[in-house]
Amino acid sequence: PFVAINCASLSETLLEGELFGHERGAFTGATQARAGRLEAANGGTFFLDEVGELRPDLQARLLRVVETRRYERVGGNTELVADVRFVAATNCDLRQDVERGVFRADLYHRLATFPVRIPPLRERLADLEPLARTLLANAATEFDLPLPTISAAALARLRVELWPGNVRELRNVLERALVLGDGMTLEVHDLD
């Protein structure tokens, strides 16, 4: 299985239970035991999106799991084994966060066994045209609209943008142009 959790989207109180699960009676409203996402990922991959947003006490608990492959549910005392491959992503510079003392150095080094840096779109403009065509095709299918072509001038305009929102921003621009466009070819004015 592939199980993902967005560390930034859940409140601090919910995140621990989502990660590790909980036992019946662990807190008010816990009427039955519940497996966490870590347990659901057993035998597969556990993806920690926005791992840089984890609060320090959860960083310590996660470090223990990454190091020993063992953990307990919230309110539990039975040790469970995590047979998972950890993959983590963040838009933070974790090295800087380690230097500032907001991210644990030991957890960083455990997670950074094989770092993969994905450069921002503005640094890989050779990818822009194939990405734009793929994103446009996906949007046309999703919105049940005919697939337009992209004019050379529109592609040139896309190449000069800085894309601070990266591929998500490109996708949004193309979806808006597709929906609001007035023909079978996307032109520069459709991108504004």
Side-chain angles (χ1 to χ4, degrees):
F2 179 88
V3 177
I5 189 165
N6 186 322
C7 300
S9 69
L10 296 170
S11 70
E12 290 182 7
T13 54
L14 288 177
L15 186 59
E16 188 171 24
E18 285 295 315
L19 281 171
F20 303 111
H22 61 78
E23 294 295 339
R24 180 175 179 248
F27 50 84
T28 303
T31 58
Q32 60 188 14
R34 181 176 174 277
R37 294 192 192 179
L38 191 56
E39 197 170 336
N42 216 32
T45 300
F46 189 62
F47 177 53
L48 294 153
D49 197 10
E50 299 300 341
V51 71
E53 303 297 324
L54 276 177
R55 67 179 201 251
D57 62 315
L58 282 179
Q59 289 178 33
R61 283 198 67 188
L62 183 60
L63 173 64
R64 179 176 181 260
V65 177
V66 172
E67 281 185 342
T68 68
R69 305 291 180 185
R70 302 190 183 302
Y71 67 99
E72 297 90 28
R73 289 180 179 168
V74 175
N77 55 14
T78 302
E79 195 169 71
L80 301 171
V81 176
D83 176 21
V84 298
R85 173 189 313 112
F86 287 96
V87 177
T90 184
N91 64 1
C92 302
D93 184 335
L94 288 182
R95 285 184 182 169
Q96 283 183 354
D97 288 352
V98 166
E99 290 172 12
R100 290 190 354 241
V102 295
F103 197 83
R104 294 181 62 110
D106 45 5
L107 179 58
Y108 169 76
H109 292 295
R110 294 296 186 279
L111 293 175
T113 302
F114 191 82
V116 177
R117 180 182 178 272
I118 300 175
L121 183 56
R122 68 184 161 276
E123 291 178 17
R124 51 190 173 106
L125 290 178
D127 294 343
L128 191 131
E129 185 174 343
L131 273 172
R133 292 188 191 290
T134 299
L135 293 169
L136 198 54
N138 292 345
T141 299
E142 180 181 347
F143 299 125
D144 196 26
L145 293 170
L147 177 61
T149 58
I150 307 173
S151 73
L155 281 171
R157 169 68 188 279
L158 293 174
R159 283 189 198 97
V160 299
E161 294 298 319
L162 294 178
W163 301 111
N166 286 309
V167 176
R168 288 182 186 112
E169 182 181 5
L170 175 63
R171 183 190 67 216
N172 291 343
V173 166
L174 292 170
E175 285 180 359
R176 183 173 50 248
L178 174 69
V179 171
L180 299 176
D182 56 6
M184 289 304 296
T185 302
L186 291 185
E187 300 290 350
V188 172
H189 67 272
D190 295 317
L191 301 173
D192 293 330

